[in-house]
Amino acid sequence: MTASDLFLGIDVGTGSARAGLFDAEGRLVATAKRPIRMWREPGEIVEQSSADIWRAVCQSVREALSLAGADPARVRGIGFDATCSLVAVGPGGQPIAVGPSGDPQRDVVVWMDHRANAEAERINATGHPVLRYVGGRISPEMETPKLLWLKENKHETFGAAEHFFDLGDYLSWRATGSAARSVCTLTCKWTYLAHERRWDEDYFRAIGLCEFADEGFARIGREVLDIGEPVGQGLAAAAAADLGLAAGTPVGAALIDAHAGGVGTVSGAGRDLALIMGTSACAMAVTDGATFVEGVWGPYFGAMLPGAWLLEGGQSGYGAALDHLVGSHPGFAAARDAAEREGRGVLDHLEARAVALAGSLEDAARLAAAIHVVPDHLGNRSPHADPHATGTVSGLTLAADEDAIVRLFVAGLCGLCYGTRDIVEAMRANGVPLERIVVSGGASRSPLLRRILADATGMTVVLPETAEPVLLGSAMLGVVASGAAPDLASAATRMCRAGDTIEPAGGAMAGFHDAKFEAYRVLQAAERRTRALMAGIAAH
């Protein structure tokens, strides 16, 4: 690497596409962002458009280059990361409808789409050995339940599709023309057995997707690349023109967005938990050997760091659950108006009010002493593997003033942190000696959330130095693909650094969070019991 080299990370999240240019030392040079559209329909259907996503990617890249004043020739490598959404590519590469609307532009089944709940239950009922590598139960967020839904409900799409891609692999294909897949996406979301470098034909036949086995898995991935390995011959001419970059620029095999945040932030097998917080949250730890934790996805071999096993816990609703929680409170409109007058976001306003009301950052959690939240609004991904779980709040009153919404906001933060603690305790119970949480994603910039997280889990919380660790992780794929570093570990040594660190307070604050965590578990159990009671009524 030279001082003039730039590396481009492209991150496609749930609501936006972002581009970030980094120098050889991992310093952010410029970044840009564009929104992406989403459609929601009854039946837990959530869809997007690959054309809209590609447009947002291209506009973001062009703006980042412009802001940096950079010659495109300086960009030595590119990496993509994206949500684990399913993209169907029709004949001749054209978009193809994946839902009841019949609109071919809506060709992406978003990760949070739960239309395949019934299909996931049927797959789990097989008890197939492959399910050991997804924590014992497959999630409707993963791709084989979605594919089974398409086969049974959109058979014309299922039959006509030339490719089914994870979104990150779709972006690599769109950029290079190569249909090679990343070991990260296929292993974590498609049941590819990376430790054996194979698909399990028997699994696909057992669950009703024999077509893929009969085809030799041509439509879902025959060529599987290690993370950061060069894809095809680099940027194809058409994609280079779209992006404003040089044709032939190396492209590294993609990562899932959360995994990009984990790359370079975890050190020491089993010591660090990488917590990437966005619309949802992923909690990931690497181990030297295969460790099985019920309700936690994995173990996956080579799916985040080459040569290591990955455990992937998660919270299906994170930022989305918090937004919904405070947005439904009668005091929200007043809080939003106050935030607008201050020129900041409503959650930033609520955080400032919480600290002022409590008198200090350290004591703010005590505002939630009488209100308790289980934010399972999108189900419980880990460690209970219960997509039917719902959110629960205890302690609501008729109060609608600012103090009331502030207390609910703090209780929501606590609930999110107890969800993480639940995952940590499940991993530790199975021999993973976690000591630190390395946080990234938008919510990681909240000092109050980091303080509560440290105290609620009893773990040190570390914030990376860069403000954009997900984009940096993606850019590091371009570093490896270009040959500027031999592997991700070498790239991380040069480009990744730790920033602020928070130690748990312990003492009385630990006791406070222990009590609230027990209340969290009581409410979670009550919600399960309530569903069971009503299911019994419905059955009769």
Side-chain angles (χ1 to χ4, degrees), residues 10 279 411 449 476:
I10 298 167
T279 302
L449 178 57
M476 286 164 56

mmCIF file of all heavy atoms in Angstrom, residues 10 279 411 449 476:
data_model
loop_
_atom_site.group_PDB
_atom_site.id
_atom_site.type_symbol
_atom_site.label_atom_id
_atom_site.label_comp_id
_atom_site.label_asym_id
_atom_site.label_seq_id
_atom_site.Cartn_x
_atom_site.Cartn_y
_atom_site.Cartn_z
ATOM 1 N N ILE A 10 -18.561 -0.456 0.357
ATOM 2 C CA ILE A 10 -19.954 -0.170 0.005
ATOM 3 C C ILE A 10 -20.847 -1.030 0.885
ATOM 4 O O ILE A 10 -20.748 -2.259 0.869
ATOM 5 C CB ILE A 10 -20.223 -0.460 -1.487
ATOM 6 C CG1 ILE A 10 -19.356 0.440 -2.356
ATOM 7 C CG2 ILE A 10 -21.703 -0.255 -1.807
ATOM 8 C CD1 ILE A 10 -19.305 0.021 -3.814
ATOM 9 N N THR A 279 -30.820 -1.684 12.430
ATOM 10 C CA THR A 279 -32.234 -2.026 12.506
ATOM 11 C C THR A 279 -32.414 -3.288 13.353
ATOM 12 O O THR A 279 -33.325 -3.389 14.172
ATOM 13 C CB THR A 279 -32.799 -2.246 11.100
ATOM 14 O OG1 THR A 279 -32.599 -1.051 10.331
ATOM 15 C CG2 THR A 279 -34.279 -2.567 11.144
ATOM 16 N N ALA A 411 -35.834 2.488 29.500
ATOM 17 C CA ALA A 411 -36.220 1.095 29.691
ATOM 18 C C ALA A 411 -36.012 0.287 28.408
ATOM 19 O O ALA A 411 -35.620 -0.885 28.453
ATOM 20 C CB ALA A 411 -37.681 1.013 30.128
ATOM 21 N N LEU A 449 -26.127 4.249 25.790
ATOM 22 C CA LEU A 449 -26.274 2.836 25.465
ATOM 23 C C LEU A 449 -25.019 2.066 25.836
ATOM 24 O O LEU A 449 -25.096 0.971 26.417
ATOM 25 C CB LEU A 449 -26.589 2.659 23.976
ATOM 26 C CG LEU A 449 -26.732 1.208 23.498
ATOM 27 C CD1 LEU A 449 -27.796 0.464 24.281
ATOM 28 C CD2 LEU A 449 -27.030 1.139 22.017
ATOM 29 N N MET A 476 -11.843 -3.236 3.604
ATOM 30 C CA MET A 476 -10.741 -4.173 3.793
ATOM 31 C C MET A 476 -10.831 -5.366 2.845
ATOM 32 O O MET A 476 -9.816 -5.998 2.522
ATOM 33 C CB MET A 476 -10.686 -4.631 5.250
ATOM 34 C CG MET A 476 -10.150 -3.553 6.195
ATOM 35 S SD MET A 476 -10.499 -3.881 7.937
ATOM 36 C CE MET A 476 -9.786 -5.502 8.147
#
